[in-house]
Amino acid sequence: MTRASLDKQPHEVASMFDRVAANYDLTNDVLSLGQDRVWRKEVAKAVDARPGQKVLDLAAGTATSSLPFAATGAYVVPCDFSLGMLQEGKKKHPWLPLTAGDATKLPFKDDVFDTVTISFGLRNVQDTDAALRELYRVTKPGGQVVICEFSEPTWAPFRTLYMEYLMRALPPVARAVSSNPDAYVYLAESIREWPDQPTLAGLLQKAGWSKVAWRNLTGGIVALHRGTKA
């Protein structure tokens, strides 16, 4: 599966995220009406990081998502393809080993991490299948993947309302709070084109993951997918 339908090359997407890095966390909080904090707590529960474990937090942005894992005593590697995001994250969290990396060609050896996780970043990778295979490659046997991503609301009337918000309300709100509102128009379109829960589960299985399951959050606006490396 590729993301070519959105007409942006990887370097263009990276540049887009570089431009929104300064206000990224604040903008996400506003646009999600504070729900992003709830979703991150659910990711932390699913990852269940423990002292001595190695956790890869892919598409970590400014590394805000990595903090709950680090707080448990786990060794966390925040990884992102946007240098702007990483630079902003290094200002805020200089003790974390922020690492530049492409999700389709990760700069890590095989069988390194106990858990690999990615939140709200998989849909921005141009080749989803390649990214899922790379996550599988760098995970230890018996390790797990946790993916938190926007998905398809399960209740039809709510789904219609949600799509209206994405395409009509989100851009003007983004203009008010973001340094690069056009980026959020792209993000809204990427959410609309992203596969639903069963389709993503199928892609995980195709990449080699077993015991694949998902749980809906906020009525299916977001889904938490999990899998195990046998």
Side-chain angles (χ1 to χ4, degrees):
M1 177 180 176
T2 65
R3 310 298 297 143
S5 58
L6 293 178
D7 296 324
K8 283 190 181 292
Q9 295 301 310
H11 71 277
E12 293 176 301
V13 178
S15 177
M16 178 185 72
F17 279 103
D18 289 346
R19 294 193 298 272
V20 301
N23 296 324
Y24 186 69
D25 294 324
L26 172 62
T27 304
N28 286 346
D29 204 25
V30 172
L31 294 179
S32 70
L33 306 178
Q35 285 296 298
D36 61 317
R37 301 180 188 182
V38 176
W39 299 332
R40 292 192 190 284
K41 286 181 180 178
E42 293 301 320
V43 171
K45 289 179 185 177
V47 170
D48 191 24
R50 299 176 186 181
Q53 288 187 336
K54 293 181 180 178
V55 178
L56 172 63
D57 186 14
L58 189 58
T62 60
T64 298
S65 59
S66 303
L67 297 179
F69 313 137
T72 68
Y75 178 75
V76 186
V77 179
C79 183
D80 203 282
F81 71 154
S82 165
L83 295 180
M85 286 285 190
L86 293 172
Q87 289 166 356
E88 193 67 26
K90 200 65 178 176
K91 294 177 188 176
K92 298 178 179 179
H93 320 295
W95 63 91
L96 289 174
L98 287 93
T99 303
D102 181 343
T104 63
K105 297 177 182 177
L106 293 172
F108 308 108
K109 295 181 179 180
D110 297 354
D111 306 331
V112 173
F113 296 98
D114 297 282
T115 297
V116 292
T117 182
I118 180 169
S119 294
F120 309 110
L122 188 59
R123 73 184 189 286
N124 297 317
V125 178
Q126 191 165 32
D127 191 335
T128 307
D129 293 326
L132 293 176
R133 289 194 300 268
E134 274 292 271
L135 286 172
Y136 186 88
R137 179 184 66 78
V138 302
T139 302
K140 294 178 181 178
Q144 66 167 344
V145 63
V146 176
I147 298 172
C148 187
E149 188 54 89
F150 289 108
S151 200
E152 186 171 293
T154 55
W155 189 43
F158 178 55
R159 183 163 60 242
T160 301
L161 181 65
Y162 173 62
M163 290 303 172
E164 287 290 315
Y165 168 74
L166 277 180
M167 304 314 297
R168 295 190 181 184
L170 189 148
V173 173
R175 277 192 290 273
V177 297
S178 172
S179 56
N180 184 20
D182 289 343
Y184 287 88
V185 175
Y186 162 80
L187 292 176
E189 292 172 349
S190 73
I191 292 169
R192 186 173 62 176
E193 293 195 11
W194 185 245
D196 61 13
Q197 293 89 324
T199 303
L200 180 54
L203 294 177
L204 278 161
Q205 292 170 332
K206 178 183 175 184
W209 297 98
S210 61
K211 299 180 181 178
V212 173
W214 75 85
R215 180 163 61 91
N216 291 317
L217 305 176
T218 319
I221 286 180
V222 164
L224 201 60
H225 281 74
R226 300 175 69 173
T228 302
K229 182 171 181 176

